[in-house]
Amino acid sequence: MRFNSEHGGNTLEAAQALGVAPESLRDFSANINPLGMPASLKRAITEQLGLAERYPDVEYRALHIRLAGHHGVLPEWVIAGNGETELIFSLVHYLAPEKAMLLTPGFAEYRRALTRAGCEIKDFALEEAKGWQPDESLLAALTPDLDCLFLCTPNNPTGLMPDKALLLKVAERCKAHQIALIIDEAFLDFMPEEQGMVPYLARYPQLYVLRSLTKFFAIPGLRLGYLLSADTQTVQKMRCQREPWTINAFAALAGEVMLDDYAYIEATYRWLQAEQPRLFRQLDALQGITVWPPAANYIFLRCDVSGLALQRALLEEHILIRHCKNYPGLDERYYRVAVRGEAENNLLLSALRKVLSGKGDAAG
Ligand SMILES: Cc1ncc(COP(=O)(O)O)c(C=O)c1O
């Protein structure tokens, strides 16, 4: 079986490799809310199918006002995108950094966007011995020759939230050296207690906060994300010069209706509060597996059973997890699994017990 996807969520290719229908796979490789898209959004879309027959507002005024209101910031500080991914690429394009720093392991699209812009990349390696978390040594690495730093909070794939005090020191250091600080908060909505860096936007005009709505509201096929920054000049430039209508009418509608669906939001918190610690504990109890305590809706793990290719073995059980061997700084022992609903998580756990007991020798 040949399956080597560089992204999560590639059930199509995995199913082809296995010779089965994509629907027969349980997808733990993309970190999407298992509650599915909100019923309120389904209703709004079906009631307003006629939107497809008109161009959306090219300025997305109602959407920007709604997103700004959600965060209590000015609409001029917001630009929405066709998923957060569009904004990663367009922000890099408009900032045009010559030298950037990335933490490894980290989300792959920052590197792709920077490479495409011809930017030199300096890696800052997170270390397993330090629990995969950045520490004060990051501050010393932030030298004035850098133009830009990407941080992912919580980090993907490690699932860890860096210390808030450290983040603020990083922001101060970036301000002092005029380094654009791009904070990716794609998974922050899964942490109800966390406000993230939005409250600090006014204090740090070179701070850019990226958000995704595709994970929390389970709309990766519809796609919606946004950028928040007090750097109104850059936001304005991005708005004026972007390709028109990159956000389709239904995605724009989604942004206007989903954030008010408190019943869905509360149900998501209840699911995650129950399933995230339970799945973590049960994974932690498995011999041959090391897990790191998750902050959001996915769990990073290491498999120490020599000779066991965990992704491939689980695929035979019709379960797709994300291998992490293509992340700089990791190797074939590392994986990431999404937290799903109770019944699906139990399927993952029993499949893991089966493949762990069946093959290889536990090493460490
Ligand atoms: C850390 C991180 N940021 C951004 C994205 C992209 O989000 P979107 O689907 O909104 O483009 C992803 C998707 O996997 C991600 O993991």
Side-chain angles (χ1 to χ4, degrees), residues 40-235:
S40 58
L41 175 59
K42 282 189 188 161
R43 233 177 3 255
I45 289 177
T46 43
E47 281 167 8
Q48 299 185 55
L49 273 180
L51 286 176
E53 296 169 345
R54 296 195 294 275
Y55 280 98
D57 172 14
V58 73
E59 309 265 354
Y60 299 104
R61 275 168 281 227
L63 175 61
H64 288 140
I65 287 170
R66 182 67 196 88
L67 294 171
H70 182 62
H71 289 287
V73 301
L74 296 169
E76 292 76 23
W77 291 16
V78 185
I79 176 169
N82 179 18
E84 194 201 292
T85 306
E86 181 193 358
L87 299 164
I88 294 173
F89 280 80
S90 59
L91 181 61
V92 165
H93 175 75
Y94 287 105
L95 292 179
E98 288 179 6
K99 192 165 182 184
M101 177 170 280
L102 294 181
L103 272 55
T104 61
F107 185 53
E109 298 306 319
Y110 317 142
R111 191 176 299 275
R112 288 188 65 226
L114 291 165
T115 306
R116 198 171 84 170
C119 178
E120 183 189 338
I121 299 169
K122 201 168 148 188
D123 283 337
F124 179 90
L126 298 169
E127 295 168 37
E128 184 158 350
K130 292 180 179 175
W132 297 113
Q133 285 282 38
D135 61 11
E136 301 243 336
S137 63
L138 175 60
L139 300 176
L142 294 172
T143 45
D145 56 323
L146 287 171
D147 301 308
C148 154
L149 168 70
F150 268 95
L151 286 180
C152 188
T153 61
N155 191 38
N156 182 9
T158 57
L160 303 167
M161 190 69 187
D163 177 53
K164 188 59 164 284
L166 177 68
L167 280 181
L168 292 175
K169 286 185 194 166
V170 167
E172 278 299 327
R173 182 100 180 162
C174 285
K175 186 178 181 182
H177 291 327
Q178 299 200 337
I179 301 169
L181 175 57
I182 305 173
I183 305 257
D184 183 347
E185 297 184 346
F187 292 98
L188 202 82
D189 286 335
F190 290 102
M191 301 178 67
E193 316 284 297
E194 260 299 338
Q195 290 244 302
M197 291 299 276
V198 173
Y200 303 96
L201 289 172
R203 194 189 301 173
Y204 301 109
Q206 279 184 300
L207 170 63
Y208 305 86
V209 173
L210 291 163
R211 292 280 189 125
S212 170
L213 294 174
T214 66
K215 289 112 190 356
F216 190 90
F217 291 100
I219 51 163
L222 193 57
R223 316 205 40 66
L224 188 62
Y226 53 98
L227 162 71
L228 300 158
S229 177
D231 174 6
T232 48
Q233 247 184 339
T234 299
V235 172

